[in-house]
């Protein structure tokens, strides 16, 4: 696998790593860090002192404001330097001004959390990080060189040559290790992947919403279209049966056809409920779960106490979690009864399904894996406890914001 960061290069190819450019990139990263940190310390401390001195005459406020905004300049340099040891783009989540003009730009910058995060990182960088860069370079490079050259001044110091030669091979790993740690800190503060994760979550939520909307459309078409037509045909067959003789062959055939049609209507009704239950849309999760458990072959105790309607994706996911859990309990666990409980705690739906079956449910099974994926798509978590001998407990938490 192609390494994207210094740490990856160090971990995946520890020997071949020495033949790559990564040690030199890490060295350049730390050397430039020392230079940037020292320059930042001089410039910003000078600006801070000047601003404090000139504050009584009013000019100092502008200087102090420039010091605050100077953190953004340092952060921009740090993001550029980050490419030496981290090849992933260093994107930012900086807010755009809400209006044109310098005043709106300044107001937005001062209200943006990223501005203060950059200033905080700048303070840490100029007071600590570049000093640590310098210490690592001194330990990894300067110390071995001093040890190797020690006998030039004192012939009796030859043992230091051995120590220096032993330290030199570790220098690339020491330098790269600290460069990777420093880059990880820079990435965490200045270029977090929160924006990417937020977009992924939003995209996933849109897909789930579109999927649920399509399920509702299919259910509506089945209920209002095909099912109603079959019911109408059944009524017409009943009228035709009245015209046929009670013991005529045609009457018996119509009875058989009407029986098959009644079975088909029942199966279609169950199918439409499985696609998306009408009660879930019209009456909410509590009513839908009551209808679901009433049709279950298992005796099910339902305890659902919710203060109000839930977001549609959350309610839909909770319904199908219960449906799948009860189906598994009926088919595989040999359970005699089950319990379903749902509560809203702050802004999180907590759902539990318990059965008294033999246990041993496999979390990697297709059904439970699909449930876990569906819950994860709703930004929730699913936990399963199913020891051999039972009972089985399915615990789900989903945010409702």
């Amino acid at each position: 696998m192609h390494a994207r960061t210094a740490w990856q290069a160090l971990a995946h190819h520890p020997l071949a790593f020495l033949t790559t450019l990564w040690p030199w990139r890490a060295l350049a990263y730390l050397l430039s860090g020392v230079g940037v940190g020292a320059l930042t310390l001089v410039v910003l401390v000078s600006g801070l002192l000047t601003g404090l001195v000139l504050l009584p005459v009013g000019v100092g406020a502008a200087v102090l404001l420039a010091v605050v905004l100077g953190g953004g300049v340092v952060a921009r340099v740090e993001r550029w330097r980050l490419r030496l040891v981290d090849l992933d783009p260093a994107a930012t989540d900086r807010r755009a001004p809400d209006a044109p003009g310098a005043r709106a730009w300044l107001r937005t910058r001062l209200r943006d959390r990223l501005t203060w995060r950059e200033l905080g990182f700048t303070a840490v960088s100029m007071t600590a990080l570049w000093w640590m860069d310098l210490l690592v370079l001194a330990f990894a490079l300067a110390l071995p060189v001093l040890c190797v050259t020690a006998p030039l001044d004192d012939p009796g110091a030859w043992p230091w040559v051995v120590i220096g030669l032993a330290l030199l091979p570790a220098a690339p790993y020491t330098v790269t290790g600290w460069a990777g740690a420093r880059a990880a800190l820079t990435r965490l503060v200045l270029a977090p992947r929160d924006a990417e994760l937020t977009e992924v979550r939003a995209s996933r939520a849109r897909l789930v919403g579109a999927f649920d909307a399509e399920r509702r459309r299919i259910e509506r078409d089945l209920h209002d279209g095909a099912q109603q037509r079959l019911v109408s045909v059944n009524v017409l067959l009943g009228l035709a049966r009245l015209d046929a003789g009670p013991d005529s062959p045609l009457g018996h055939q119509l009875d058989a056809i009407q029986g098959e049609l009644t079975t088909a209507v029942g199966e279609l009704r169950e199918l439409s409920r499985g696609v998306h239950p009408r009660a879930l849309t019209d009456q909410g999760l509590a009513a839908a779960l009551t209808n679901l458990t009433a049709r279950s072959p298992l005796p099910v105790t339902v305890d659902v106490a919710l203060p109000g309607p839930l977001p549609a994706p959350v309610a839909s996911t909770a319904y199908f979690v219960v449906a799948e859990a009860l189906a598994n309990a009926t088919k595989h666990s040999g359970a005699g009864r089950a319990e379903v409980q749902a509560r809203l705690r702050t802004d999180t739906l907590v759902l539990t399904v318990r059965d008294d079956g033999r246990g041993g449910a496999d979390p990697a099974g297709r059904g439970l894996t699909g449930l876990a994926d569906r819950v994860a798509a709703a930004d929730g978590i699913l936990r399963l406890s199913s020891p051999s001998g039972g009972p089985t407990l399915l615990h789900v938490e989903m945010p409702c914001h």
Side-chain angles (χ1 to χ4, degrees):
M1 183 177 66
H2 181 64
R4 301 289 300 173
T5 67
W7 265 0
Q8 289 179 359
L10 190 61
H12 295 158
H13 311 285
L15 295 180
F17 159 79
L18 297 175
T19 64
T20 66
L21 292 176
W22 284 107
W24 300 103
R25 296 171 72 101
L27 178 61
Y29 184 67
L30 296 189
L31 287 173
S32 61
V34 172
V36 171
L39 181 61
T40 301
L41 179 63
V42 172
V43 173
L44 291 190
V45 170
S46 300
L48 180 62
L49 295 177
T50 303
L52 292 176
V53 170
L54 298 179
L55 191 59
V57 297
V59 182
V63 177
L64 292 178
L65 182 60
V67 170
V68 171
L69 298 178
V73 178
V74 176
R76 191 174 296 111
V77 174
E78 288 293 335
R79 293 188 188 98
W80 179 80
R81 289 198 320 110
L82 188 63
R83 292 184 293 179
L84 286 169
V85 289
D86 188 340
L87 302 182
D88 292 332
T92 63
D93 54 352
R94 190 182 299 280
R95 291 171 50 192
D98 51 7
R103 184 183 297 272
W105 179 87
L106 181 60
R107 182 173 60 249
T108 302
R109 286 293 172 266
L110 292 179
R111 291 178 179 177
D112 194 349
R113 290 183 301 175
L114 181 59
T115 299
W116 302 101
R117 201 161 67 218
E118 291 173 340
L119 182 61
F121 180 84
T122 300
V124 173
S125 176
M126 71 181 186
T127 57
L129 291 181
W130 77 274
W131 290 100
M132 298 178 69
D133 293 345
L134 186 60
L135 288 175
V136 170
L137 290 173
F139 176 79
L141 300 176
L143 181 60
V145 171
L146 290 176
C147 290
V148 171
T149 57
L152 296 179
D153 298 325
D154 183 6
W158 64 266
W160 288 105
V161 176
V162 178
I163 296 175
L165 293 177
L167 290 175
L168 275 176
Y173 299 95
T174 304
V175 170
T176 306
W178 169 243
R182 196 193 197 294
L185 177 62
T186 303
R187 164 75 67 180
L188 180 66
V189 178
L190 298 182
R193 294 183 171 88
D194 295 348
E196 299 173 20
L197 293 177
T198 299
E199 177 58 29
V200 170
R201 293 191 186 101
S203 176
R204 188 171 60 183
R206 288 193 295 269
L207 289 175
V208 172
F211 181 68
D212 284 337
E214 184 65 14
R215 292 173 71 104
R216 288 193 294 271
R217 186 192 65 78
I218 294 173
E219 184 273 337
R220 184 173 60 253
D221 291 346
L222 288 175
H223 183 273
D224 299 336
Q227 185 175 325
Q228 295 302 322
R229 290 190 180 91
L230 289 178
V231 170
S232 299
V233 171
N234 201 5
V235 171
L236 293 176
L237 286 175
L239 295 175
R241 178 68 182 83
L242 294 177
D243 294 335
D247 295 324
S248 65
L250 178 60
H252 292 306
Q253 290 180 359
L254 290 175
D255 285 338
I257 294 172
Q258 197 170 13
E260 291 295 327
L261 192 59
T262 301
T263 301
V265 171
E267 291 177 350
L268 187 61
R269 184 177 293 111
E270 290 298 320
L271 177 62
S272 65
R273 287 171 178 167
V275 171
H276 190 87
R278 176 63 64 93
L280 185 62
T281 303
D282 297 341
Q283 304 173 35
L285 180 62
L289 290 181
T290 300
N291 293 343
L292 173 66
T293 54
R295 302 192 306 270
S296 174
L298 284 178
V300 183
T301 302
V302 181
D303 181 13
V304 179
L306 301 174
L310 300 175
V314 175
S316 177
T317 301
Y319 177 87
F320 287 106
V321 165
V322 174
E324 181 68 20
L326 293 181
N328 289 340
T330 302
K331 296 178 183 178
H332 308 299
S333 73
R337 64 179 301 101
E339 301 175 5
V340 176
Q341 185 181 78
R343 293 287 188 275
L344 190 65
R345 297 177 182 172
T346 312
D347 61 348
T348 301
L349 175 66
V350 180
L351 176 71
T352 58
V353 184
R354 183 193 304 267
D355 68 68
D356 61 357
R358 66 177 68 95
D362 182 11
R366 179 178 300 177
L368 289 175
T369 300
L371 281 186
D373 291 342
R374 187 179 179 95
V375 170
D379 208 17
I381 57 174
L382 182 147
R383 299 187 181 95
L384 175 68
S385 174
S386 184
S388 181
T392 295
L393 174 65
L394 195 66
H395 180 92
V396 173
E397 296 181 11
M398 288 181 289
C400 297
H401 50 75

